[in-house]
């Protein structure tokens, strides 16, 4: 059972959180070409290894956070507020 | 040696000491006409149909571990074609028809057990959707029946059909020809039949790179050296993104872990497959007597083939809400498999934007029941260089074109399908 | 019968009290402290079950969790349970157990015919036959018979009367296993000040030394154990959990424990759960789970009376039971000599010790003592075959160097093939194992999570070494958890025992056709392993799946390593190259009820009630689920059907006035300077033009352009808005908005707060609505003062009370209508006040069914049936709402070719020409064709319109807007129904919307 370090609340049980998917996606500007939107909405790197992802502390402080988690082992490597970079930049 | 009661009896006389290998373990050749990556049901079926239907026998199946060690051996063995949208309905019905004769086709008993798949309905809105789907099935020529609550109560007395249940059962959509298939036998049966057609099945051979030459596939690098080919098919659901990335392709897929479990074996208590969309649960009883059950994903990207307790606890809670008398039974084994979750919940069986490269994958929860049709159509697409009518809709390009096949209507959130 | 095989003294049973129990209907007695298995053995009962496949008679093999054979049906009414291990079921007064998988009786089982026919049933035989005649029907017939033969015990038929609990706990050090290593580890960790949880699967701590004769710190083990446990129990930072099995090791050091709170009692005491599931988040785990003995395969090694040597020893020392009268020991290591000595001292004749090792290896203390005690030792020899039918009667011994077999009569065979550390949890934690050639087994190596193995689980088998390993592991664990060790305490000490080496021996060659069992429960033999290898099932996972090795309820605890060693021999490779199958949770089977905990039955999910729920129930409402909410479907009067009630209610809204509970709508307050900009981005229509005191309907899209949700948003002040969402999407919309505000657009000054549960809401609809309202609210609600889409605060008179309320003039029914929101505590008072005020005007409460009829008549779409996740706003006829002046979520991808195609399914209205539109109907041009029949669309919503006296519906139809006026068929093959329908615009009443603006 994952133990997720919420930057506001500290480490909390996974059942308090809701998954939000890939955190490395960058929302295109509204006038970006449809291809850019297609990539944003549909395509994923889906890495086997460290994955930067969003979680919502839904049954806690209701803040979104970024987590770097290894998808092979489920080891949690770092977490940060959405406006902060995870240590070491993008994986 | 053909398998039959006679060969079994004959071999009994020699104490089974003369059974031949079910498949060889050849050294990989330096070149093949076609290579299939992935020695699960889909890859082995692809190779079998390449040889059988398209006379392409110079084929290798490359498997990084052991045959059937991925999702073929990690599912809940359910087969059905009870889909609403036309492309899915026609595809899965084709698959079900192949299941019906597969034991004879492969001369390997895969134990297709048409014990029925019953989708429980818990509310009027649920009933609308179930009847709409059942009607679509009928119009597509697929068997479907709607059962009332009383019919269900009489048939499956263990189900809590009372109105005091948290999500009362108000009826159910039954596909009588749905059922289960012995999962390992599918990999072994296809492997044996493909091997008999001359296909080289190479276990413990991991593909580490895809080589391109002028925009077309020229071969694969493996842990056992480079092997050249012009036709490369990927059948590695769970790891499709990793293989596609070797050819520089990003897919609309995320990998997620789905857990399943069995109870200790008990005498027959459940003679059909029961599923519930509302409580996210499906259950059947295996021929050994184990109750085989599963539910939702763990809901985070994973390649770990193991999950955590909350998802399992939820599956069991759903089980006991439906079957309150199962509370004193025990969970015997649990395991996890890695699902390719696509952005519309439907598979991709198609050419990829590199010449000579195809894939079958993106199965979400539903890959096992698709195995024969997936292999058949993937082989067709590899051999002909174009899709068959039945997989023409399952392209990679459908997302860019807006032709999603979104059975649940959940939209581009991979883990929600 | 009075416990013929109970020893006069010794063990941990309380001979001062007796407990009555029964097995297969025969009455027996045992003592507190007994397991069912020890009590059966005390009464001379060995035959306890039949095997899975061949229905061979089987006896008690082990004394613990590894038991493959002694599985019984505990019979206690609704509390019956199958497959209970007799070796772990504590005896209680009145316990009634029955054997399984036999008919008509355990001694005479018709199923044993399978054993006679077994030459036809090698591993995997079912893959090779049952394929003729062709066709799925025939396999179903074969399968029916196979299924009846399979399975072990019977599932209960009645709901489980017990309840279960979940607990969450955190500790610095979790010690798994309360034997000598675990106790020593817990003690040293606790001394460092760590918070310790110590669990053990047995009722009493002490593990293998319970009842043993060894001395620890110069005292009998019992007093050392007692002192240890007392000391730990007195420490407030230590939690002791007996009868608790650690079954699963999960991420970030979470370990699942099952505490059997009341399984040792006939039934749980009041207010006590039967079992408790602990989620323990441990700083570090000390795995002191001991070791499991393995057997040696030889012909007839499954006859009742055959036991693992350690088990025989345990029955003598722990339970004071003689498991036989004349024993033969078969071993390849020193540990079995301990059993031999115990049996000898207990008065059992040890006829021979057949030791596979040469004389030179028998220098250990225990072999020497056995020799001194006059026990015959046969070095370099083995059992080649056992004789007997329902109980072992004798064995044939051979010299491994060759020579004739020699028969020795006996009623007990004790086997030891060596010991396997119980590394299951270590492996589950992702720890790596290494193969140890000397011990011929897998040992813990390195682990990425915080876990250390100690004692026998770590490959230590000498008591002194076990104690010091546990002691050291406790300090190591505490240190890694951040606790400094105090001045070192000496480890508990035991006399050193000199031990000879083990000689790996997995099977003894037998004559052809004889069955040598590797997996006792699933009847997997040495020949089956060879067959699998011969046919190419050469991965250890293939072996497992093809032969079912290790797939029984014991999960191969005694047989798996034997099987993979035999496979390695067949393949001519070293054992580590074959490797092990993956260890997966649970370590031992876990009760489903315990996994579910209290979230069972009616508590599977929370049930949400509106503030007016009780009123609805009191007024005869038929309540239905709407997501997690309960909502009134309709309010049938005595003798009235639900449909008639809904029709009456719907008609009353059109003609007079009705009140419906809409509290379940999602309500989100938005505050800040940038709310209008935010709304512009999330809704398809424009919001910067919305004035204070006004509300507006809006539609949200997903990023892929499909309709996500709809609702109204009201501007309460310059910077304060209230959004409503659909009932089903309330949570999703809130999460969506939070995501956008926190992750995508943190620069926007907007705060979102869900207030769904803070406000009760009702909609008052119908031509009389204003008259009703005017009598209860404090503001002017005339059309001029409070026009369509107006919003305002007011007070609502409820008796003498004045309730603060928010009033919204919006309409879902298409009639003159108002929504009234009040703080949730005033919900019922508001409702009753409006109902009372409406009385003179003929007001009726109406439910969701009438609400649905009213909206279908008006052609309002609903998320689900119409907005089904595959429809765009344009499909639903709301293309005009999409503002061209701005972008919004989902708009860019609407440009994709298939989304602008004229062939899309579009919303239309349907009117039945003859008959009723069938539920879930599909639209086709010609229902008479052969399948597959092309489908042009489907009925999304349908109703009987009491106001039009017609069967009408909404549908999604290919090129629907171009088909107005066409006639199609709505068909339901499931209901054998087909009806002609006329296609038209999706609005049946007041298309101009005059009624709602009056």
């Amino acid at each position: 059972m994952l133990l997720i370090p919420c930057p506001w609340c500290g480490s909390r049980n996974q059942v308090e959180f809701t998954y939000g998917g890939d955190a490395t996606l960058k929302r295109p500007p509204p006038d970006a070409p449809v291809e850019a939107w297609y990539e944003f909405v549909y395509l994923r790197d889906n890495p086997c290894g460290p994955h930067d992802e969003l979680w919502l502390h839904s049954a806690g402080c209701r803040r979104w956070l970024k987590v770097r988690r290894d998808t092979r082992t489920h080891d949690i490597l770092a977490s940060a507020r959405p406006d902060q970079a995870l240590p070491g930049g993008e994986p | 040696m053909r398998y039959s009661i006679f060969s079994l009896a004959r071999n009994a006389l020699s104490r089974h000491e003369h059974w031949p290998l079910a498949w060889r373990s050849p050294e990989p050749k330096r070149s093949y006409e076609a290579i299939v990556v992935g020695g699960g049901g889909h890859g082995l079926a692809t190779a079998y149909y390449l040889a059988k239907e398209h006379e392409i026998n110079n084929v290798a199946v490359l498997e990084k571990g052991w045959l059937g060690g991925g999702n073929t051996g990690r599912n809940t063995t359910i087969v059905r074609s009870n889909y609403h949208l036309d492309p899915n309905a026609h595809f899965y019905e084709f698959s079900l028809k192949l299941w019906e004769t597969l034991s004879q086709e492969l001369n390997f008993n895969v134990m297709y057990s048409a014990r029925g798949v019953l989708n429980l309905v818990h509310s009027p809105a649920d009933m609308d959707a179930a009847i709409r789907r059942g009607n679509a099935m009928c119009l597509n020529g697929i068997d479907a029946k709607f059962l009332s609550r009383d019919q269900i109560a009489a048939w499956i007395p263990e189900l809590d059909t009372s109105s005091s249940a948290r999500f009362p059962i108000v009826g159910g959509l039954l596909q009588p020809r749905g059922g289960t298939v012995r999962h390992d036998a599918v990999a072994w049966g296809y492997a044996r039949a493909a091997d008999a057609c001359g296909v080289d099945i190479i276990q413990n051979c991991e593909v580490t790179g895809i080589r391109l030459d002028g925009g077309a596939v020229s071969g694969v690098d493996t842990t056992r050296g480079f092997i050249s080919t012009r036709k490369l098919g990927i059948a590695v659901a769970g790891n499709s993104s990793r293989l596609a990335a070797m050819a520089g392709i990003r897919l609309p897929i995320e990998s997620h872990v789905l857990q399943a479990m069995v109870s200790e074996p008990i005498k027959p208590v459940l003679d059909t497959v029961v599923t519930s969309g509302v409580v996210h649960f499906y259950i059947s009883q295996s021929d050994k007597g184990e109750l085989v059950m599963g539910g939702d994903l763990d809901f985070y990207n994973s390649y770990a083939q193991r999950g955590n307790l909350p998802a399992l606890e939820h599956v069991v809670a759903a089980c006991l809400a439906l079957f309150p008398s199962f509370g004193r039974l025990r969970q015997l084994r649990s395991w996890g498999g890695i699902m390719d979750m696509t952005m519309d919940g439907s598979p991709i069986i198609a050419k990829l934007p590199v010449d000579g490269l195809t894939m079958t994958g993106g199965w979400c929860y539903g890959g096992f029941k698709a195995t024969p049709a997936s292999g058949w159509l993937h082989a067709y697409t590899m051999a002909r260089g174009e899709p068959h009518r039945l997989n023409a809709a399952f392209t990679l390009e459908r997302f860019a074109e807006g032709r999603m096949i979104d059975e649940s209507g959940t939209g581009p959130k991979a883990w929600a399908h | 019968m009075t416990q013929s095989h109970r020893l006069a003294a010794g063990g941990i049973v309380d001979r001062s009290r007796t407990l009555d129990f029964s097995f297969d209907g025969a009455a027996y007695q045992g003592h507190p402290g007994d397991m069912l298995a020890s009590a059966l053995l005390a009464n001379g009962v060995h035959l306890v079950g039949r095997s899975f496949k061949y229905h061979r008679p089987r006896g008690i093999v082990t004394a613990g969790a590894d038991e493959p054979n002694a599985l019984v049906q505990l019979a206690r009414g609704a509390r019956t349970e199958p497959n209970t291990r007799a070796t772990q079921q504590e005896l209680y007064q009145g316990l009634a157990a029955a054997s399984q998988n036999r008919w008509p009786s355990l001694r005479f089982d018709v199923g044993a015919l399978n054993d006679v026919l077994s030459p036809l049933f090698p591993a995997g035989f079912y893959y090779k036959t049952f394929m003729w005649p062709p066709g799925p029907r025939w396999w179903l017939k074969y399968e029916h018979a196979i299924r009846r033969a399979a399975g072990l015990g019977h599932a209960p038929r009645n709901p489980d009367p017990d309840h279960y609990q979940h607990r969450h706990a955190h500790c610095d050090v979790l010690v798994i296993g309360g034997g000598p290593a675990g106790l020593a580890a817990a003690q040293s960790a606790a001394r460092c000040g760590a918070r310790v949880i110590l669990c053990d699967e047995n009722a009493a701590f002490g593990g293998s030394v319970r009842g043993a004769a060894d001395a620890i710190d110069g005292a009998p083990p019992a007093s050392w154990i007692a002192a240890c446990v007392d000391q730990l129990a007195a420490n407030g930072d230590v939690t002791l959990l007996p009868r608790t099995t650690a079954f699963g090791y999960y991420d970030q050091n979470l370990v699942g424990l099952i505490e059997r709170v009341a399984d040792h009692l006939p039934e749980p005491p009041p207010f006590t759960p039967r079992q408790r599931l602990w989620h323990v988040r441990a700083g570090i785990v000390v795995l002191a789970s001991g070791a499991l003995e393995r057997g040696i395969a030889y012909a007839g090694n499954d006859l009742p009376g055959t036991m693992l040597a350690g088990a025989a020893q345990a029955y003598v020392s722990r339970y004071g039971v003689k498991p036989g009268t004349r024993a033969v020991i078969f071993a390849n290591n020193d540990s079995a000599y301990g059993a031999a000595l115990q049996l000898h001292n207990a008065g059992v004749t040890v006829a021979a010790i057949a030791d596979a090792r040469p004389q030179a290896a028998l220098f250990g203390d225990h072999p020497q003592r056995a020799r001194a005690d006059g026990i015959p030792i046969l070095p370099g020899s083995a059992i080649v075959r056992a004789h007997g039918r329902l109980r072992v009667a004798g064995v044939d011994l051979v010299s491994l160097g060759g020579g004739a077999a020699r028969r020795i009569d006996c009623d007990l065979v004790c086997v030891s093939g060596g010991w396997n550390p119980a590394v299951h949890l270590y492996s589950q934690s992702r720890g790596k194992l290494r193969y140890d050639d000397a011990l011929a087994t897998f040992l813990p190596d390195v682990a990425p999570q915080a876990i250390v193995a100690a004692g026998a689980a770590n490959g230590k088998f000498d008591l002194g070494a076990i104690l010091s390993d546990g002691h050291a592991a406790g300090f190591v664990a505490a240190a890694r958890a951040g606790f400094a060790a105090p001045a070192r305490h000496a480890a508990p000490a035991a006399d050193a025992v000199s031990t000879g080496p083990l000689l790996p021996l997995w099977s003894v060659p037998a004559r052809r056709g004889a069955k040598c069992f590797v997996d006792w429960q699933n009847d997997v033999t040495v020949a089956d392993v060879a067959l699998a290898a011969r046919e190419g099932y050469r991965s250890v996972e293939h072996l497992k799946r093809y032969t079912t090795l290790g797939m029984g309820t014991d999960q191969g605890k005694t047989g798996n390593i034997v099987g993979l060693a035999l496979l390695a021999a067949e393949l001519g490779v070293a054992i580590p190259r074959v490797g092990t199958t993956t260890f997966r949770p649970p370590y031992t089977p876990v009760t489903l009820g315990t996994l579910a905990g209290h979230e069972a039955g009616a508590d599977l999910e929370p049930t949400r009630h509106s503030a007016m729920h009780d009123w609805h129930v009191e007024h005869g409402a038929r309540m239905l689920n709407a997501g997690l909410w309960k909502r009134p479907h309709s309010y049938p009067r005595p003798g009235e059907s639900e449909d008639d009630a809904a029709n009456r209610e719907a008609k009353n809204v059109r003609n007079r006035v009705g009140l419906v509970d809409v509290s379940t709508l999602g309500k989100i307050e938005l505050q800040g300077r940038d709310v209008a900009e935010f709304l512009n981005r999330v809704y398809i229509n424009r919001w910067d033009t919305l004035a204070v005191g006004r509300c507006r309907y809006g539609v949200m899209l997903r990023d892929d352009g499909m309709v996500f949700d709809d609702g109204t948003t009201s501007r309460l002040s310059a910077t304060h808005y209230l959004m409503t969402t659909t009932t089903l999407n309330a949570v999703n919309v809130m999460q969506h908005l939070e995501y956008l505000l926190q992750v995508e657009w943190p620069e926007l000054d907007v705060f979102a707060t869900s207030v769904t549960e803070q406000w009760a809401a009702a909609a008052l609809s119908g031509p009389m609505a204003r008259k009703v309202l005017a009598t209860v609210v404090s503001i002017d609600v005339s059309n001029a003062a409070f026009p369509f889409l107006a919003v305002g605060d007011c007070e609502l008179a409820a008796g003498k009370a004045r309730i603060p309320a928010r009033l919204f003039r919006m309409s879902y029914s298409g009639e003159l209508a108002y929504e009234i929101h009040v703080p949730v505590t005033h919900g019922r008072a508001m409702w009753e006040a409006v109902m009372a005020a409406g009385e003179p005007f003929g007001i009726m409460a109406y439910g969701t069914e009438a609400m649905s009829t009213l909206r279908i008549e008006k052609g309002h779409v609903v998320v689900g049936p119409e907005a089904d996740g595959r429809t765009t706003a344009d499909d639903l006829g709301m293309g005009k709402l999409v503002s061209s002046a701005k972008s919004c979520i989902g708009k860019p991808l609407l440009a994709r070719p298939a989304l602008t195609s004229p062939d899309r399914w579009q919303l239309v209205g349907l009117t039945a020409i003859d008959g009723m539109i069938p539920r879930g109907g599909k639209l086709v041009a010609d229902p008479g064709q052969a399948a597959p029949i092309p489908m042009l669309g489907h009925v999304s919503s349908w109703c009987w319109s009491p106001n039009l006296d017609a069967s009408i519906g909404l549908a999604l139809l290919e090129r629907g807007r171009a088909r107005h006026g066409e006639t199609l068929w709505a068909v339901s093959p499931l209901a054998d129904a087909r009806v002609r329908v006329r296609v038209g615009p999706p609005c049946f009443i007041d298309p101009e919307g005059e009624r709602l603006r009056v």
Side-chain angles (χ1 to χ4, degrees), chain B residues 3-5 8-9 12 14-17 19-23 66-67 73-74 84-86 100 103-104 107-109 111-115 124 127-128 131-132 134-136 138-141 144-146 158 166-168 173 182 184-185 188 203 264-268 270-271 279 285-288 290 293 305-309 313-314 316-318 320-321 324-335 399-404 406-407 409-412, chain C residues 52 78-84 101 119-120 122 126-131 134 136 139-140 143 147-160 162 166 250-251 274 277 279 430 512-513 522 531 534-539 541-542 545-546 551-553 555 584-586 589-593 595-596 599 601-602 604-607 624-625 628 702 704 706 868-870 896-899 919-920 922 931-933 935 938-940 942 971-974:
Chain B
Y3 289 165
S4 71
I5 185 71
L8 198 59
S14 54
R15 304 196 187 285
H16 303 286
E17 283 168 8
W19 286 107
L21 282 172
W23 52 80
W66 40 281
L67 290 188
R74 295 171 186 277
H84 184 207
L85 301 181
D86 283 351
E100 286 175 335
S103 294
Q104 287 76 26
N107 180 230
F108 200 101
N109 188 357
M111 308 181 194
Y112 162 59
S113 173
R115 55 188 51 253
M127 189 171 323
D128 289 357
I131 292 180
R132 190 177 301 134
N135 283 331
C138 295
L139 292 173
N140 274 320
K145 278 184 192 171
F146 198 83
E158 279 72 22
R166 177 66 187 86
F167 298 105
L173 181 66
R182 168 81 189 124
D184 291 325
W188 301 339
Q203 301 184 68
E264 293 183 340
I266 46 170
K267 291 292 178 192
L270 181 63
D271 242 353
V279 298
Q285 188 171 18
S286 75
D287 288 347
K288 267 194 83 179
E290 298 158 333
M293 54 185 108
Q305 289 194 335
R306 55 186 182 78
N308 276 304
L309 270 177
E313 290 171 359
H314 186 80
V316 174
L320 300 188
S325 62
F326 290 174
R328 302 182 83 83
L329 302 179
R330 300 184 195 92
Q331 183 204 80
L332 174 56
R333 280 191 303 279
S334 66
W335 63 90
F399 300 96
E401 295 164 356
R403 299 181 208 284
M404 292 73 71
D406 192 345
E407 188 85 15
T410 314
Chain C
F52 191 85
R79 289 191 168 83
T80 187
E81 71 188 53
N83 308 342
T84 299
N101 204 34
L120 281 172
Y126 28 71
Y127 299 122
K128 295 180 173 134
T129 182
F130 304 125
M131 289 179 279
W139 167 248
L140 272 183
E143 192 182 39
R147 287 168 79 85
R148 285 162 60 97
L152 291 168
H154 291 273
R157 301 314 277 245
N158 297 311
D160 186 351
D162 292 336
H166 284 188
Y250 300 91
D251 290 319
R274 175 185 168 215
L277 171 59
H279 300 97
R430 294 185 279 128
R512 290 176 71 195
N522 277 351
L531 177 65
R534 186 177 305 130
E535 294 195 273
Y537 299 90
R538 290 171 177 177
S539 150
E541 292 284 352
H542 285 156
R545 289 153 184 266
Y546 191 62
M551 296 185 83
T553 64
Q555 305 203 357
R584 298 192 181 283
V590 172
T591 306
L592 296 183
L595 286 169
E599 285 174 15
L604 177 67
E605 298 282 356
T607 304
L624 277 187
N625 285 325
L628 298 181
R702 301 188 306 229
D704 66 346
M706 302 301 160
D868 60 7
R870 296 181 288 268
R896 287 178 290 172
L899 301 188
R919 178 174 215 166
K922 309 293 294 188
I933 301 175
M935 288 166 260
H938 64 236
V939 179
S940 53
W942 89 112
V971 300
S972 175
L974 283 182

Side-chain angles (χ1 to χ4, degrees), chain B residues 280-292:
Chain B
H280 303 287
F281 179 69
Y282 34 94
I283 185 169
S284 66
Q285 188 171 18
S286 75
D287 288 347
K288 267 194 83 179
E290 298 158 333
L291 294 169
V292 186

Side-chain angles (χ1 to χ4, degrees), chain C residues 10 57 151 194 243 342 536 616 653 673 711 794 807 839 852 938 962 968 987:
Chain C
R243 297 189 174 104
Q342 284 272 3
H616 303 318
V653 171
R673 289 188 305 275
C794 66
L807 199 60
E839 179 94 51
S852 172
H938 64 236
L968 293 171
C987 185

Side-chain angles (χ1 to χ4, degrees), chain C residues 536-755:
Chain C
Y537 299 90
R538 290 171 177 177
S539 150
V540 63
E541 292 284 352
H542 285 156
L543 173 71
K544 164 182 151 186
R545 289 153 184 266
Y546 191 62
T547 64
T548 72
L549 171 71
M551 296 185 83
T553 64
D554 59 328
Q555 305 203 357
K557 290 188 176 64
T558 53
N560 268 1
I561 294 205
V562 177
L564 67 92
L566 292 170
L567 176 67
E570 286 288 334
L571 301 180
V573 300
I575 290 171
R577 272 209 55 200
V578 170
T580 64
T581 55
T582 313
F583 291 95
R584 298 192 181 283
Y587 170 64
T588 53
V590 172
T591 306
L592 296 183
T594 317
L595 286 169
H598 49 80
E599 285 174 15
D603 293 331
L604 177 67
E605 298 282 356
T607 304
R608 302 177 74 179
H609 295 135
S610 90
M612 290 81 96
H613 178 83
D614 292 346
W615 189 96
H616 303 318
V617 172
E618 288 160 19
H619 290 76
R622 156 103 198 284
M623 303 302 289
L624 277 187
N625 285 325
L628 298 181
W629 292 92
K630 294 283 181 193
R631 297 193 74 178
H633 168 275
S634 56
Y635 303 80
R637 292 172 176 170
E640 189 181 37
S641 76
E642 288 164 12
D643 285 347
D644 288 346
N647 286 340
R648 167 178 54 74
E649 293 163 11
K651 212 163 172 170
N652 195 61
V653 171
R654 293 257 181 263
N655 296 334
R656 289 194 285 251
V657 63
L659 189 66
V660 64
D661 185 349
V662 295
S663 302
T664 62
L665 292 179
K667 301 179 228 34
I668 299 168
E669 295 216 359
L670 300 166
Q671 297 206 48
R673 289 188 305 275
D674 299 324
V675 176
E677 170 62 18
F678 181 57
L679 294 174
N680 263 346
R681 296 187 192 184
V682 298
Y683 277 128
I684 59 176
N685 43 340
R686 274 188 80 165
W687 290 84
D688 45 344
T689 53
L690 184 71
V692 173
R694 305 288 290 176
C695 65
R696 181 170 289 174
Y697 173 75
V699 174
M700 285 183 202
L701 309 181
R702 301 188 306 229
D703 266 322
D704 66 346
M706 302 301 160
V707 172
F708 169 38
D709 201 61
D710 67 349
T712 57
T713 292
S714 307
R715 191 169 188 181
L716 305 177
S717 78
T719 56
H720 186 187
Y721 293 69
L722 176 71
M723 174 187 282
T724 65
T725 75
T726 61
T727 299
L728 297 183
N729 264 337
V731 170
N732 296 334
V733 171
M734 181 64 194
Q735 190 175 315
H736 174 67
L737 300 185
E738 287 174 318
Y739 161 76
L740 293 171
L741 289 171
Q742 294 178 34
V743 180
E744 297 289 4
W745 305 320
E747 71 279 9
L748 291 185
D749 182 49
V750 178
F751 294 86
T753 308
S754 169
V755 294

